[in-house]
C-alpha cells in the first residue's frame, strides 16, 4: 500500500487482535494507514482503486475508511483502513490496542469474551462484533482515564 500512496500516508499501524501478543485471534490482520487529514482521501481512493481496491466508506465508524481488495492478492486475509491522524476510529484502535498490550488481565478478559461470543455466534459475525461492544467501550473508558 505504501508504494501506491506512501507520499500521502504519514504512518501505518498494525491494530486489532493480531497486534496483541498472547491474544486469541482470527487469522486476519487489521491495518490502519494514517493520513494527515481527509483532504488527502480523494487522491488515496483514486490510487487504491487503480490498484484494485474498492472504497467501502466508514462502515459506520467515524474516523476510518475501509477498503477491500477486488482480487486475490495471495496475501493472508486483512482489513485495510485509511484514517486521519486525529480520527476517532484510528485513535480508538490505538488506545484499545495499547491498553490491552499494557494490561494482560484485560487482554485475558477480552479473550474470554471473544471465545464465549464465538461459541454463541459461530455463523453470525455481526452478532459476534456487536457482542464485543460493551467490553471495548469499557476498555476505551479506562484508557481515557489513564
Amino acid at each position: 500500500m505504501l508504494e501506491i500512496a506512501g507520499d500521502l500516508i504519514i504512518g501505518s499501524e498494525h491494530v486489532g487482535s493480531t497486534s496483541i501478543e498472547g491474544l486469541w485471534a482470527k487469522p486476519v490482520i487489521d491495518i490502519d494507514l494514517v493520513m494527515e487529514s481527509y483532504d488527502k482521501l480523494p487522491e488515496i481512493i483514486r490510487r487504491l482503486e487503480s490498484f484494485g481496491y474498492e472504497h467501502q466508506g466508514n462502515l459506520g465508524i467515524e474516523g476510518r475508511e475501509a477498503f477491500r481488495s477486488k482480487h486475490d492478492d495471495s496475501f493472508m486475509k486483512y482489513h485495510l483502513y485509511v484514517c486521519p491522524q486525529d480520527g476517532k476510529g484510528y485513535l480508538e484502535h490505538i488506545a484499545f490496542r495499547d491498553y490491552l498490550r499494557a494490561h494482560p488481565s484485560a487482554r485475558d478478559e477480552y479473550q474470554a469474551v471473544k471465545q464465549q461470543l464465538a461459541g454463541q455466534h459461530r455463523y453470525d459475525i455481526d452478532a459476534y462484533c456487536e457482542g464485543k461492544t460493551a467490553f471495548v467501550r469499557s476498555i476505551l473508558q479506562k484508557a481515557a482515564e489513564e
Side-chain angles (χ1 to χ4, degrees):
M1 278 12 106
L2 294 180
E3 64 273 5
I4 298 168
D7 59 319
L8 302 172
I9 301 298
I10 59 173
S12 62
E13 294 283 348
H14 178 200
V15 296
S17 294
T18 59
S19 70
I20 302 162
E21 188 174 338
L23 180 61
W24 174 85
K26 298 180 300 292
V28 179
I29 295 177
D30 294 292
I31 303 165
D32 283 356
L33 298 180
V34 185
M35 60 186 168
E36 286 181 13
S37 71
Y38 270 104
D39 295 342
K40 307 289 184 186
L41 185 61
E43 180 61 14
I44 292 170
I45 291 171
R46 187 191 70 71
R47 289 187 193 181
L48 289 175
E49 285 180 344
S50 73
F51 278 86
Y53 288 88
E54 174 186 12
H55 179 224
Q56 299 178 292
N58 69 12
L59 302 178
I61 298 179
E62 178 187 336
R64 75 166 201 202
E65 300 292 322
F67 290 81
R68 180 183 70 80
S69 179
K70 294 187 218 177
H71 53 81
D72 180 9
D73 54 13
S74 300
F75 190 65
M76 74 179 296
K77 189 170 180 179
Y78 61 95
H79 297 140
L80 176 64
Y81 305 104
V82 175
C83 312
Q85 64 186 342
D86 60 352
K88 181 181 178 196
Y90 170 68
L91 296 174
E92 287 181 349
H93 276 167
I94 299 304
F96 187 75
R97 177 198 69 189
D98 291 353
Y99 189 90
L100 292 186
R101 283 179 173 176
H103 299 86
S105 62
R107 179 203 61 211
D108 295 345
E109 186 179 349
Y110 184 49
Q111 179 166 302
V113 167
K114 289 173 55 154
Q115 288 174 326
Q116 177 185 3
L117 290 168
Q120 292 172 337
H121 305 292
R122 180 174 218 98
Y123 302 106
D124 186 350
I125 190 67
D126 292 332
Y128 169 81
C129 291
E130 182 61 32
K132 297 187 302 182
T133 300
F135 182 84
V136 170
R137 285 187 182 144
S138 74
I139 293 299
L140 292 173
Q141 181 63 41
K142 290 176 184 177
E145 292 169 0
E146 281 194 352

